[in-house]
Amino acid sequence: TTLEIHAAPINPATFLTQYLFHPEEKAETPPRTVICTSATLATNGHFHHFKQRCGLSEAGEEKVLPAVFDYPQQALLYQPALPAYDYRNADGYYTAVAAEIERLLEVSRGRALCLFTSWSGLQQVSDRLKRPEAAVVWPLRAQGDAPRDALLTWFKSTRHSVLLATRSFWEGVDIPGEELSLVIMDKMPFPTPGDPLHSARMTMIDSNGQSSFGDYMLPLMNLALKQGFGRLIRRATDRGVVAILDERLSSKNYGRQTRQDLPPARFSRDFKDVHKFFQQALATD
């Protein structure tokens, strides 16, 4: 039996400031320049959250660059009218999610990465989609069936395949081309409040008179959602649909703000637009 102990600082800003941004420098040493760049550093159009977590009071230059892809032409953001998640009726919620995924897969002809915020959600939907009465005819596998790299290799080499996965697939996955034409996310990916590290950081933020939800949970969810969205469009020739099955994306003020922070794809709540998008994509292939 091996016992592992993992530790992480509640507030990494102190260490980043001391060792990266403002280390002790000798007089003859030129000033240090640090460039921070990523497609998912900004939230709500600014870097406040990033600078706060890194201990940066100011930066020499800040810039949010426009998207490099033609998202209005290449992508459609779809949100169906599903019931809001209720932990008291999780079975009913995931039955509705599975049914929505079934009809999305029918028009996309598979070629889908389905991202879940929890193992429970993944397993519930996987069980439903694998039932004999389900209408899924495409090759389907779920995280846990094989190691991560093996699943990605299978997905890339298997035509019209469907992969169900959790948070480790929300980033660092590069599948360009028509092999991936549909990305589905079951819910907005908020951090788990019960996680000891998140819980400690939220407690620290609240004790400082700030809002752990607005100043911590929301920005992290926003960044994770953009990471998930980013699995779809990897090249200038890619096209596809991102489906976010969470009613809060439209019903909550923070959801509508988050939607504005996503890449500027066309937005629709009408399934007919999804069907039309894939028909047009097939016609031009």
Side-chain angles (χ1 to χ4, degrees), residues 163-279:
L163 177 59
L164 280 59
T166 55
R167 291 295 288 270
S168 62
F169 283 76
W170 285 65
E171 56 185 86
V173 173
D174 185 23
I175 308 174
E178 66 173 12
E179 290 86 357
L180 178 57
S181 297
L182 172 65
V183 171
I184 302 173
M185 291 174 268
D186 71 327
K187 289 189 297 183
M188 299 169 76
F190 281 100
T192 303
D195 178 277
L197 184 57
H198 289 314
S199 178
R201 287 175 174 169
M202 292 168 66
T203 298
M204 180 190 70
I205 291 170
D206 288 334
S207 66
N208 290 334
Q210 299 171 293
S211 166
S212 58
F213 181 77
D215 296 329
Y216 183 75
M217 298 283 280
L218 269 179
L220 288 185
M221 181 278 293
N222 188 311
L223 295 175
L225 198 68
K226 288 199 286 187
Q227 289 278 11
F229 191 113
R231 298 316 94 210
L232 181 68
I233 304 298
R234 311 297 296 174
R235 304 290 186 272
T237 55
D238 289 350
R239 289 173 294 175
V241 173
V242 173
I244 302 177
L245 312 184
D246 193 328
E247 180 59 29
R248 293 174 295 181
L249 196 68
S250 290
S251 65
K252 300 292 187 181
N253 287 333
Y254 64 77
R256 293 189 290 273
Q257 178 59 55
T258 294
R259 198 175 76 209
Q260 296 301 314
D261 211 29
L262 291 173
R266 287 177 289 157
F267 176 71
S268 176
R269 304 205 65 179
D270 190 341
F271 184 78
K272 293 180 181 178
D273 289 331
V274 179
H275 193 273
K276 182 179 179 181
F277 182 95
F278 281 115
Q279 282 187 320

Side-chain angles (χ1 to χ4, degrees), residues 28-76:
E28 65 273 12
T29 303
R32 171 175 293 191
T33 298
V34 179
I35 300 174
C36 302
T37 177
S38 171
T40 51
L41 284 186
T43 57
N44 294 333
H46 55 72
F47 298 99
H48 175 73
H49 172 73
F50 174 76
K51 292 193 297 181
Q52 187 177 51
R53 293 199 67 195
C54 293
L56 287 170
S57 57
E58 60 181 27
E61 184 175 352
E62 300 178 19
K63 193 170 185 63
V64 179
L65 299 174
V68 297
F69 299 122
D70 186 1
Y71 284 103
Q73 294 299 318
Q74 292 179 245
L76 175 72

Side-chain angles (χ1 to χ4, degrees), residues 88-148:
R88 294 166 296 187
N89 185 27
D91 288 347
Y93 175 77
Y94 285 113
T95 295
V97 166
E100 185 65 33
I101 291 176
E102 275 192 44
R103 70 171 185 163
L104 284 166
L105 294 178
E106 182 178 359
V107 296
S108 72
R109 301 183 304 154
R111 306 183 298 164
L113 176 62
C114 305
L115 299 172
F116 295 85
T117 58
S118 68
W119 274 101
S120 174
L122 181 151
Q123 291 165 349
Q124 290 210 46
V125 172
S126 178
D127 290 344
R128 287 163 172 76
L129 296 181
K130 290 178 179 179
R131 290 173 181 172
E133 63 270 21
V136 179
V137 298
W138 317 108
L140 184 148
R141 301 189 75 177
Q143 188 174 353
D145 293 347
R148 184 178 187 273

